[in-house]
Amino acid sequence: MLHVENLTASIGDTSILKGLNLDVGAGEIHAIMGPNGSGKSTLAHALAGRDGYEIGGTVTLDGVDLLEMVPEDRAAAGVFMGFQYPVEIPGVNNMYFLRTALNSVRRARGDEQIGASDFLKGAQDAMDLVEMNHDFLYRSVNAGFSGGEKKRNEILQMAVMQPKLAVLDETDSGLDIDALRVVAAGVNSLRGPDRSMIVITHYQRLLDYIKPDFVHVLVDGKIVKSGDHTLALHLEDHGYADFVNHDLDDAPLTGAPA
Amino acid sequence: MNQAALAFRSAALEQMASLTLPTKRDEAWRYAPHKALGQLTFGPATATDAVLGDIDSQIPHIDGPRIVIVNGVVDSAQSQLDTLPAGVKLVSLAGMPADLVESALDRQHDTIDDAFSIINRAYGEGGALLMVDGRPAETIHIVDIAVPDVSQNASASRVVIAMEAESSATVVETRIGHSDAFGGSNVRTEISLAADASLEHMILQDLPTTQIHLGRVDVMQEAGSTLRARLFNLGSDYGRVAYHVHLDGEGAHADLSGLYFGFGTQTLDQQITVVHSAKNCTSRQSYRGVLDDSSTGIWNGGVDVRPGADGTDSEQSNDNLLLSRKAEVNTMPRLEILADEVSCQHGATVGQLDDAALYYLRSRGIPNEEASRLLINGFADQMMDDLESDAIRSWITERLGHDDA
């Protein structure tokens, strides 16, 4: 489904992704783990289409070239990114935003528009999935939401958008254990044979709840090790030290996982 | 005309002889189009022959009393003055009974005289007088229409609002123009709030972009009174509204807010001064601007705390969104404090569309242009968050060309 080959990303003279290869099959969940500064979030943004990077290599989704597309076209092609830091948008109400988003991708795909009342039903089901109070539909997007509410809102959006490929960037950061359980349950319920997911995280903890088919270790812009979920357990015990070779001593690996 | 009104106007007419228009050197008029201002021609109010047609399509549909002023003359046919709520007197200034003249026209506000105020005093004999002694539920609508004429292209009119003690009302002034010819309007609003009175006052400025609007609002507030003044400054080539609010009784409160949204080569100018001259008064100024194309916004907001106005609490904010490289905004918070135990805060921001927010919306499939519009509307709509009237809200959103979320 997703094919990533020799992906490079840089900002100015700083190269961040240095030839990354990854294949994600339909229905699979892949976890990407790695120390701070290894390029995890850059990978997510490179897939979602954020401006400002020099990108090289190949990324295709079901054979379609994603790299040439602007972010909205990637969303229409089925890509969804769950943000590590969801953006607050005062003045834009959550329901209006969600319906505009859904109808935009439907329009791009040539599907019919969804009316307000049909949309509301679907949105309320999605809210129940992430145990969100329905009032949140009428509040401004993420404005004044707590960390946990923002992350639930990301999963809510994912449930509404029904993407082919979900890239969840540190969806567990800033969550207490109860919120983590709710978010993970939401993600699990969205698993399906036609939906692939890339779950980016620092911690093994999230992977207790969302069990990945594969785990990859990202260090200094490359995947240095891949394995099954037991690799995550190894990382939990030993950290990333095993994978950071001496050539990389100068690499910006500042800061332990917070 | 009765004696008092005559005396008032003849003094102004005398001043007319030596009238000098404001220049770039006058701070309050610095960004005004001085050449165009010099081309406005005023004269005594005269009814127009122009056929206005359907004005309802240009103004919000507000149920309730309405007075329509065309070139300074009340248009009875367009007005709805038959069934006024209890405690409301709404009449044409020109036909006003003599006993009301003095209170309505000869107020000794803390007057800043400029040429256009003098012109208004000289020629602004027509307009509306609203006196409220009660708490009417219906919104009172005052519509001012400028119709450029061959003999004089600009009109002068006046709105006088007197709120008796403990009264409460909502008043909307909609200001529009007819035809695309050059011209404009000069409207002076004088508001007095007696003790514990409360007024929600709104100006919807939407003259054609070939015209000029010069609005000025003077407010005198007594103890415990509350003013909520909102401005939606949208139309005109040069759209100016100046407020001068005087908090003259203990514990008075003024809450002023507004939105200006410029396109093309519009210049939208808000000049605000709130004077605190009594103890424990509070004031709020909160204005937002969106400037597109080559438009210019001006926000000049002042708080003047006079000696003895201890316990003053004021806040000012002005936030602007520039949508084009050629758009411009000039924001000037001013503070003068001559009292003790005073809390005055102010802040101003000028920014562009937030790239992170734009990317977030686009990552959800919303095309760039629509995402921008969503963000712009989101920014502007916050000035309508606590607007109770759906009619006015939908008029504004329609006027700004977007769906009401």
Side-chain angles (χ1 to χ4, degrees):
Chain A
M1 179 176 262
L2 178 73
H3 175 68
V4 178
E5 193 177 323
N6 196 27
L7 179 65
T8 58
S10 55
I11 297 178
D13 293 336
T14 312
S15 115
I16 305 165
L17 299 180
K18 301 175 179 173
L20 187 144
N21 298 304
L22 180 67
D23 274 285
V24 179
E28 292 174 359
I29 295 194
H30 289 235
I32 308 262
M33 303 183 72
N36 278 338
S38 59
K40 298 191 302 295
S41 284
T42 299
L43 170 61
H45 288 302
L47 295 176
R50 184 180 194 151
D51 276 347
Y53 297 105
E54 286 288 325
I55 300 281
T58 309
V59 176
T60 59
L61 183 66
D62 286 338
V64 179
D65 180 9
L66 285 185
L67 292 183
E68 289 300 309
M69 295 182 185
V70 292
E72 53 269 39
D73 290 344
R74 297 188 196 201
V79 177
F80 176 89
M81 174 177 166
F83 281 56
Q84 180 179 6
Y85 302 110
V87 183
E88 298 197 11
I89 309 182
V92 177
N93 113 11
N94 217 8
M95 172 145 90
Y96 187 75
F97 157 62
L98 277 171
R99 188 154 72 90
T100 305
L102 184 62
N103 278 333
S104 296
V105 301
R106 291 181 69 89
R107 191 178 304 119
R109 292 169 188 161
D111 294 337
E112 274 191 27
Q113 301 289 286
I114 291 196
S117 61
D118 286 342
F119 173 79
L120 186 61
K121 269 181 227 135
Q124 284 173 342
D125 290 345
M127 298 199 92
D128 293 339
L129 185 72
V130 290
E131 297 180 21
M132 249 171 117
N133 189 317
H134 292 189
D135 291 350
F136 278 80
L137 274 183
Y138 305 98
R139 286 175 50 180
S140 291
V141 179
N142 294 326
F145 286 25
S146 71
E149 286 162 352
K150 284 180 182 168
K151 295 301 173 73
R152 287 187 211 195
N153 205 25
E154 294 294 289
I155 305 306
L156 166 71
Q157 292 171 38
M158 174 177 157
V160 169
M161 304 297 289
Q162 296 281 327
K164 250 192 238 179
L165 172 72
V167 182
L168 303 178
D169 188 13
E170 305 218 11
T171 294
D172 51 335
S173 70
L175 294 186
D176 61 30
I177 197 74
D178 293 325
L180 181 64
R181 202 173 286 139
V182 171
V183 163
V187 171
N188 284 328
S189 74
L190 293 168
R191 283 180 100 142
D194 299 323
R195 179 165 303 129
S196 308
M197 298 191 200
I198 295 174
V199 178
I200 292 170
T201 182
H202 258 314
Y203 302 117
Q204 193 271 334
R205 189 179 71 160
L206 176 69
L207 305 180
D208 285 341
Y209 296 96
I210 303 172
K211 201 166 167 207
D213 301 298
F214 298 94
V215 174
H216 308 277
V217 181
L218 182 64
V219 175
D220 193 30
K222 282 182 177 174
I223 288 174
V224 295
K225 177 85 177 171
S226 297
D228 62 15
H229 72 275
T230 57
L231 178 56
L233 296 168
H234 176 87
L235 288 171
E236 185 77 356
D237 293 341
H238 302 278
Y240 294 107
D242 295 357
F243 304 106
V244 182
N245 65 40
H246 293 291
D247 300 348
L248 302 173
D249 279 352
D250 295 335
L253 293 181
T254 50
Chain B
M1 180 173 302
N2 59 57
Q3 287 304 310
L6 198 61
F8 172 82
R9 284 193 46 229
S10 58
L13 282 166
E14 258 169 49
Q15 286 176 284
M16 289 287 291
S18 55
L19 201 64
T20 42
L21 294 183
T23 68
K24 268 198 177 73
R25 286 181 298 280
D26 296 300
E27 188 58 36
W29 292 87
R30 194 165 150 199
Y31 300 95
H34 296 94
K35 191 170 165 227
L37 287 179
Q39 290 163 350
L40 291 174
T41 51
F42 293 92
T46 10
T48 178
D49 298 332
V51 180
L52 295 183
D54 174 28
I55 66 162
D56 288 307
S57 61
Q58 296 177 62
I59 61 175
H61 304 284
I62 302 168
D63 289 330
R66 173 168 105 180
I67 190 163
V68 177
I69 304 150
V70 182
N71 283 1
V73 179
V74 168
D75 181 337
S76 315
Q78 302 264 24
S79 302
Q80 291 152 15
L81 300 168
D82 302 337
T83 49
L84 293 175
V88 172
K89 186 179 194 70
L90 180 59
V91 293
S92 163
L93 258 180
M96 189 176 63
D99 61 328
L100 297 176
V101 171
E102 216 149 323
S103 64
L105 279 187
D106 201 17
R107 281 187 201 181
Q108 294 304 309
H109 281 185
D110 203 28
T111 306
I112 306 160
D113 265 335
D114 56 52
F116 293 102
S117 296
I118 294 166
I119 289 171
N120 187 284
R121 275 212 298 279
Y123 296 129
E125 62 197 296
L129 169 66
L130 169 66
M131 305 181 89
V132 179
D133 189 3
R135 310 177 75 84
E138 289 169 293
T139 296
I140 292 147
H141 198 181
I142 300 169
V143 181
D144 192 280
I145 308 175
V147 188
D149 219 324
V150 223
S151 54
Q152 60 204 47
N153 59 31
S155 67
S157 60
R158 185 168 282 248
V159 171
V160 179
I161 301 172
M163 301 292 298
E164 295 299 323
E166 294 177 25
S167 292
S168 150
T170 300
V171 176
V172 176
E173 290 194 52
T174 304
R175 298 170 179 180
I176 56 174
H178 182 74
S179 102
D180 290 332
F182 173 76
S185 57
N186 173 343
V187 183
R188 170 79 170 254
T189 305
E190 296 206 33
I191 298 172
S192 60
L193 293 164
D196 299 317
S198 154
L199 174 69
E200 165 131 16
H201 177 264
M202 205 177 310
I203 294 178
L204 309 174
Q205 189 280 111
D206 195 26
L207 270 73
T209 50
T210 47
Q211 299 181 9
I212 286 175
H213 177 69
L214 304 171
R216 178 165 161 175
V217 182
D218 279 79
V219 186
M220 182 65 84
Q221 291 189 236
E222 291 181 22
S225 63
T226 299
L227 170 75
R228 178 86 173 83
R230 297 169 187 269
L231 169 65
F232 291 91
N233 199 7
L234 308 176
S236 301
D237 179 47
Y238 177 60
R240 173 195 179 94
V241 180
Y243 286 87
H244 195 270
V245 177
H246 198 135
L247 300 171
D248 202 34
E250 192 167 346
H253 175 65
D255 188 343
L256 294 93
S257 68
L259 172 70
Y260 43 101
F261 205 129
F263 295 95
T265 55
Q266 281 185 290
T267 298
L268 300 174
D269 193 345
Q270 9 290 305
Q271 300 281 332
I272 322 291
T273 299
V274 176
V275 178
H276 285 253
S277 63
K279 284 190 171 67
N280 302 321
C281 292
T282 52
S283 68
R284 300 287 177 265
Q285 298 176 31
S286 168
Y287 288 79
R288 283 198 169 187
V290 182
L291 289 315
D292 201 351
D293 304 327
S294 303
S295 62
T296 302
I298 298 115
W299 183 79
N300 185 349
V303 174
D304 187 355
V305 184
R306 298 273 165 89
D310 302 345
T312 287
D313 178 341
S314 79
E315 286 174 21
Q316 296 169 273
S317 71
N318 175 230
D319 299 303
N320 297 280
L321 193 52
L322 295 183
L323 301 180
S324 140
R325 282 173 191 278
K326 288 182 180 165
E328 177 184 325
V329 69
N330 302 281
T331 174
M332 291 160 281
R334 293 175 288 115
L335 267 180
E336 187 179 319
I337 302 174
L338 301 170
D340 300 320
E341 290 176 54
V342 163
S343 160
C344 295
Q345 302 175 21
H346 62 83
T349 63
V350 179
Q352 292 161 333
L353 281 183
D354 178 5
D355 281 339
L358 211 49
Y359 167 53
Y360 188 69
L361 295 177
R362 294 178 71 189
S363 80
R364 297 325 187 221
I366 301 174
N368 194 22
E369 201 172 306
E370 194 170 357
S372 303
R373 207 167 52 227
L374 216 57
L375 291 179
I376 296 161
N377 295 345
F379 177 83
D381 287 355
Q382 287 171 74
M383 298 316 292
M384 293 188 279
D385 272 353
D386 55 350
L387 196 59
E388 277 173 28
S389 162
D390 288 337
I392 294 169
R393 181 193 302 275
S394 61
W395 181 85
I396 295 167
T397 52
E398 218 168 279
R399 169 60 180 76
L400 294 177
H402 65 83
D403 304 337
D404 191 357

